[in-house]
Amino acid sequence: MSAEMANEIKLISGRSHPDLSDKIAKRLGIEVARTISLNYSNQETSFTVGESVRDEDVFIIQSTATGDVNEGLMELLIIISACRTASARRITAVIPNFPYARQDKKDKSRAPISARLVANMLQTAGANHIVTVDLHASQIQGFFSVPVDNLYAEPSFLRYIRENFNPEDCVIVSPDAGGAKRATSIADHLNTAFALIHKERPRPNVVGRMVLVGNVEDKVAILVDDMADTCGTLVKAASVLKENGAKSVLALVTHGILSGSAIETLNGSVLSALVVTNTVPLGDKVERCPKLRVIDISPTIAEAIRRTHNGESVSYLFTHAPV
Amino acid sequence: MVRNIVILGGNSHPKLVESVCAVLGIPQCNRVLGKFECGESRCEIKDSVRGKDVYIIQTGFGGNGAKLNDHFMDLCIMISACKTGSARRVTAVLPLFPYSRQPDLPYNKAGAPLFKAPSENGKKEYTFESVPATPGPGQPKSATLSNGANGADITSRLLKTSLANGNGPQSPPATSKVNGDTYFANGVNGHHHSDSTSSQGLFTKHDYENLSLVSAFQAKPGYKHWVAQAGTLVANLLTCAGADHVITMDLHDPQVQGFFDVPVDNLYGRPLLKRYIMQNIPNYKDAVIISPDAGGAKRATAIADSLGVDFALIHKVDSSGHLLERRPTKITERQNASMMLVGNVADRVCILIDDIVDTGNTITRAAKLLKKEGASKIYALVTHGVFSGDAINRINASALDKIVVTNSVPQHEHKALFGARLDVLDISPIFAEAIRRVHHGESISVLFNYD
């Protein structure tokens, strides 16, 4: 018994999303490890460990707070490296919203493939395993030579739709061609219609002309995407859907990054609701935006941690959301 | 004019990049470097780097609208972008190496290491884990218990257990409270980090952003908490991003060079400081070179030897006998009592030499001590002038007559606040020359000892 007990889950929380860490810890019935991260006055990050992680199964939860991505990333790397030097048996970085996931290809000359850099950095620091949610491109898993568990928010979204709408009245809409796969998967599970918006994007963060492919007339149009950043795409897509006769439009998005003036854009839009998971810390955005609804993703992450620790399969979570 | 060389500047120190380029006589590489609204760094390199020898200049300093970690990530991204852009060789030029100096123990505002007893209000945080966290054989490890409604009752009982179990290899923090001052008297022997000090030491190397957090933090009973050292990590991250070579200056610990698998050229600011002494300090032959702590003695003696000037050393006394016989009454007395001057400075010009001034605690305290010992004028010559926290106010209020730093980090804002008290030495010729020599495959050792 004692040999097994020696290897326990140690949950370490970075500074970016303590709320999620607490929820996961509560779900697992354990406490977050006693650690503290701070910045010195010269802005270097300092991480203090207050309990032993020797031979433990360490899970480090660090999301990326909007606007402070690099801070969070460096903190995560320092925590990983600290745990490795402290003889942790295995170090799993739980990064609900993988940073730099959109910089995943060399789309022009000398463009950095920052996602691969982040992957390499995590491994260099000493991560043995990565758990994340809805990677922007699942190919990012290939940047790693350690296992990556890419969890899906899809089961939670399916439940949300089933609980709040009659699937027959709904059309699942992908706001761009890249997200078609994600949206069709939800449409298939719900057995509903599917539509797609084609867009031209002249520059990053700028939305061009949009064309709807499919029929949304007198239906509840549900936009599905993996991240909502400035929300320009979503809002523009929503008005296109409204123009094409949709009864109402809502959006289901995994990562609510909501940077810049996203909240103002949302408040002034025809979207009836934006449903996000709590992979990204939302701060006061819920108060500032009455259209914002939050699905708690912590049961899925907690269950993935439990299963990873016990050496059980995680694939059940790809289709089922723990209650 | 140097060919096939690309100088790429980060956002941390644009002026240094400009002057290095001016010395080399080449234009800067065109690039876009900024942040997306979500906070991710954005980097586009406009000029071709294929087959080129790329030098990326980024200093370890937070400022210019971004934080230190942003600048470091920018650097890694630029290195990686050049690597994927088929650069022949990428050299990271870090005038001030980030994370090169991290203290072993966390400090609070007053500077006392946080190994003292947990305060009364902290007891509620105790859990069932009251045994030392490294259990011996056969010792059961209790499961964690979340604090319920009767938490206070349980914790008060647990505290007793933790005290009873306290005679382990390291006495748990709870017992030190009971011993109070005698803990230091007995405990200092087992505690001899050069930077760490007892409560009489009161040295702050860093100020924290959020002090209430620091003082509220407690390790598990029986576990001595420690601070992660990021130096190796930073070295590994640079190599992992693709740096083939690193050029830096006056590393706080020269051992950091050993963290790298790639060549590291550690340039010295010493020649600059030496030249300053010879040109700007009248009768420097009669001055005394002082090292404000034992760790910097080598740096200071090197300058003293080559100038043929006397040398003195200040060292921090943690456990000297007379301190404990006579309890210091005033806080100032206490602070100075913990520093000891070895050498004579009465009626002489003192030149403090150090590698980095951050919060300015070390040199201002040293200056105070020197003044007390009768120094006529005090200069401080420091390679890296970070001046974080309340450093500028502290130095302006101190006995220092002059502070001299290099522009390894941007100094124009500091200069405005210090006025004539601050002199800035330009390091761009040294870096330009190092870049030129590295590019042409010439020896750079001449840069280590020119006069």
Side-chain angles (χ1 to χ4, degrees):
Chain A
M1 192 63 192
S2 66
E4 271 176 42
M5 293 287 279
N7 183 345
E8 285 178 359
I9 298 179
K10 278 276 176 205
L11 210 60
I12 294 180
S13 171
R15 265 179 299 175
S16 67
H17 204 346
D19 177 51
L20 181 69
S21 311
D22 288 344
K23 283 184 171 140
I24 291 171
K26 205 170 172 198
R27 184 88 190 173
L28 290 168
I30 58 174
E31 279 186 13
V32 176
R34 285 190 200 188
T35 59
I36 188 168
S37 327
L38 299 148
N39 276 18
Y40 292 124
S41 57
N42 65 4
Q43 300 184 353
E44 289 178 3
T45 304
S46 143
F47 176 68
T48 308
V49 185
E51 61 185 85
S52 173
V53 296
R54 186 175 295 271
D55 225 6
E56 305 279 22
D57 200 4
V58 176
F59 291 83
I60 303 159
I61 296 165
Q62 178 78 307
S63 179
T64 43
T66 307
D68 247 353
V69 174
N70 294 332
E71 281 290 307
L73 185 58
M74 267 312 278
E75 187 183 314
L76 174 63
L77 294 169
I78 290 170
I79 297 175
I80 293 173
S81 150
C83 291
R84 190 176 64 165
T85 52
S87 313
R89 180 177 291 187
R90 179 174 62 176
I91 301 162
T92 306
V94 182
I95 315 165
N97 174 28
F98 195 83
Y100 290 98
R102 281 171 290 182
Q103 297 184 30
D104 58 352
K105 56 195 166 296
K106 197 171 159 181
D107 46 9
K108 48 190 148 208
S109 301
R110 299 172 296 277
I113 308 173
S114 307
R116 197 201 52 173
L117 176 67
V118 171
N120 286 344
M121 285 176 141
L122 287 168
Q123 290 172 100
T124 303
N128 306 115
H129 193 148
I130 309 290
V131 173
T132 182
V133 181
D134 275 347
L135 272 178
H136 183 62
S138 51
Q139 287 84 345
I140 291 173
Q141 291 178 77
F143 294 163
F144 285 92
S145 51
V146 297
V148 179
D149 283 324
N150 184 19
L151 304 171
Y152 299 110
E154 187 188 287
S156 309
F157 285 162
L158 288 173
R159 182 188 298 140
Y160 181 87
I161 296 171
R162 288 199 180 107
E163 280 174 1
N164 292 285
F165 301 97
N166 179 5
E168 285 169 15
D169 294 342
C170 299
V171 185
I172 306 295
V173 186
S174 171
D176 56 20
K181 227 172 159 181
R182 198 174 288 117
T184 45
S185 168
I186 290 187
D188 282 353
H189 277 100
L190 292 169
N191 217 357
T192 59
F194 165 76
L196 179 127
I197 288 174
H198 174 72
K199 73 176 170 192
E200 291 147 4
R201 190 197 282 266
R203 287 195 306 279
N205 286 350
V206 176
V207 185
R209 206 167 58 89
M210 289 185 153
V211 187
L212 175 71
V213 185
N215 187 11
V216 295
E217 219 161 298
D218 292 328
K219 298 266 193 178
V220 177
I222 301 178
L223 282 158
V224 175
D225 207 350
D226 64 333
M227 52 175 80
D229 192 347
T230 52
C231 289
T233 314
L234 278 180
V235 166
K236 200 137 188 202
S239 36
V240 170
L241 292 169
K242 209 69 182 182
E243 282 160 24
N244 282 277
K247 202 158 55 179
S248 67
V249 185
L250 73 149
L252 263 63
V253 177
T254 312
H255 307 297
I257 297 167
L258 306 178
S259 69
S261 54
I263 297 295
E264 289 72 36
T265 314
L266 277 176
N267 282 336
S269 74
V270 296
L271 274 174
S272 63
L274 171 67
V275 184
V276 298
T277 68
N278 56 351
T279 52
V280 181
L282 290 165
D284 62 347
K285 284 171 190 157
V286 181
E287 284 94 73
R288 278 164 55 208
C289 180
K291 294 178 176 180
L292 199 59
R293 313 250 189 291
V294 184
I295 298 177
D296 186 11
I297 195 80
S298 65
T300 304
I301 297 176
E303 187 61 17
I305 290 175
R306 201 188 60 76
R307 285 171 182 257
T308 306
H309 174 67
N310 293 333
E312 297 167 23
S313 165
V314 175
S315 51
Y316 174 83
L317 296 172
F318 297 162
T319 46
H320 297 77
V323 187
Chain B
M1 182 71 189
V2 199
R3 270 169 301 172
N4 262 337
I5 186 168
V6 172
I7 305 284
L8 191 55
N11 284 333
S12 60
H13 200 345
K15 282 199 171 156
L16 181 68
V17 183
E18 272 170 36
S19 40
V20 167
C21 285
V23 175
L24 289 171
I26 49 169
Q28 263 190 64
C29 179
N30 247 327
R31 92 302 191 252
V32 177
L33 186 63
K35 250 181 164 191
F36 287 112
E37 272 186 294
C38 63
E40 292 178 359
S41 299
R42 171 187 179 181
C43 168
E44 284 172 35
I45 294 162
K46 299 288 192 187
D47 298 339
S48 170
V49 295
R50 187 174 297 272
K52 297 276 178 69
D53 198 8
V54 182
Y55 294 83
I56 307 177
I57 303 176
Q58 180 83 296
T59 195
F61 179 74
N64 296 336
K67 295 181 180 166
L68 181 128
N69 287 337
D70 287 319
H71 288 318
F72 181 70
M73 274 305 294
D74 286 353
L75 173 64
C76 292
I77 290 172
M78 283 190 287
I79 294 173
S80 164
C82 290
K83 263 313 211 210
T84 46
S86 309
R88 185 166 59 85
R89 182 172 63 169
V90 181
T91 305
V93 182
L94 296 133
L96 170 58
F97 196 86
Y99 291 97
S100 61
R101 187 194 57 149
Q102 291 229 333
D104 309 58
L105 282 170
Y107 292 80
N108 63 15
K109 183 83 174 182
L114 292 164
F115 57 73
K116 63 173 197 231
S119 57
E120 292 295 313
N121 53 19
K123 280 178 190 170
K124 284 198 172 61
E125 309 217 340
Y126 277 61
T127 64
F128 223 93
E129 297 271 3
S130 55
V131 289
T134 339
Q139 216 172 347
K141 191 171 175 189
S142 48
T144 50
L145 177 79
S146 55
N147 286 321
N150 56 350
D153 180 30
I154 292 175
T155 48
S156 68
R157 274 188 286 143
L158 280 176
L159 192 71
K160 281 177 201 144
T161 8
S162 96
L163 287 172
N165 290 345
N167 29 2
Q170 280 169 341
S171 59
T175 55
S176 63
K177 166 102 181 179
V178 183
N179 296 340
D181 280 347
T182 54
Y183 174 80
F184 297 119
N186 304 330
V188 276
N189 295 335
H191 167 72
H192 44 235
H193 292 295
S194 61
D195 277 349
S196 62
T197 47
S198 69
S199 68
Q200 288 117 358
L202 291 175
F203 274 87
T204 325
K205 280 236 164 170
H206 291 280
D207 289 342
Y208 284 107
E209 265 177 2
N210 195 340
L211 289 160
S212 57
L213 260 176
V214 187
S215 33
F217 177 73
Q218 282 151 27
K220 280 209 169 168
Y223 188 77
K224 186 170 181 285
H225 70 274
W226 51 281
V227 178
Q229 303 280 299
T232 324
L233 174 71
V234 167
N236 288 340
L237 292 179
L238 286 173
T239 333
C240 142
D244 300 303
H245 194 139
V246 174
I247 301 178
T248 181
M249 185 178 244
D250 276 355
L251 278 173
H252 182 68
D253 292 317
Q255 285 82 355
V256 170
Q257 285 184 69
F259 296 169
F260 283 93
D261 293 329
V262 297
V264 178
D265 285 319
N266 184 20
L267 305 175
Y268 294 123
R270 198 184 295 154
L272 277 177
L273 302 184
K274 209 167 114 186
R275 196 194 295 150
Y276 180 90
I277 294 174
M278 291 161 73
Q279 292 176 350
N280 295 284
I281 299 179
N283 300 328
Y284 71 91
K285 287 278 181 198
D286 299 327
V288 190
I289 303 266
I290 319 260
S291 170
D293 56 17
K298 230 174 156 178
R299 208 173 289 121
T301 45
I303 293 185
D305 282 353
S306 63
L307 289 171
V309 171
D310 282 351
F311 169 75
L313 173 88
I314 293 172
H315 79 115
K316 301 165 184 171
V317 190
D318 287 353
S319 55
S320 97
H322 72 271
L323 281 182
L324 298 162
E325 286 164 22
R326 187 181 62 87
R327 183 173 292 267
T329 43
K330 277 182 287 182
I331 186 97
T332 48
E333 223 175 0
R334 215 184 267 187
Q335 284 163 358
N336 284 334
S338 65
M339 299 183 94
M340 218 168 79
L341 179 72
V342 182
N344 186 15
V345 298
D347 296 323
R348 296 175 78 174
V349 173
C350 290
I351 305 168
L352 280 160
I353 303 280
D354 208 348
D355 62 330
I356 186 162
V357 50
D358 188 351
T359 57
N361 240 315
T362 308
I363 58 160
T364 51
R365 293 246 165 82
K368 189 182 267 176
L369 178 68
L370 293 173
K371 210 70 187 178
K372 218 175 87 182
E373 299 279 338
S376 61
K377 197 164 183 197
I378 304 168
Y379 290 83
L381 270 65
V382 184
T383 310
H384 306 294
V386 178
F387 302 119
S388 73
D390 48 3
I392 291 178
N393 294 335
R394 189 176 289 161
I395 290 168
N396 269 333
S398 76
L400 282 171
D401 294 296
K402 193 96 189 176
I403 177 147
V404 184
V405 296
T406 72
N407 60 346
S408 63
V409 300
Q411 296 293 357
H412 50 278
E413 284 173 23
H414 300 153
K415 181 72 188 165
L417 289 163
F418 274 123
R421 203 190 279 247
L422 182 77
D423 273 350
V424 181
L425 309 174
D426 187 14
I427 54 164
S428 52
I430 297 183
F431 275 92
E433 185 62 15
I435 289 172
R436 201 187 61 76
R437 282 172 182 265
V438 168
H439 174 66
H440 291 298
E442 297 168 22
S443 164
I444 64 160
S445 52
V446 68
L447 289 178
F448 296 154
N449 53 4
Y450 75 94
D451 282 311

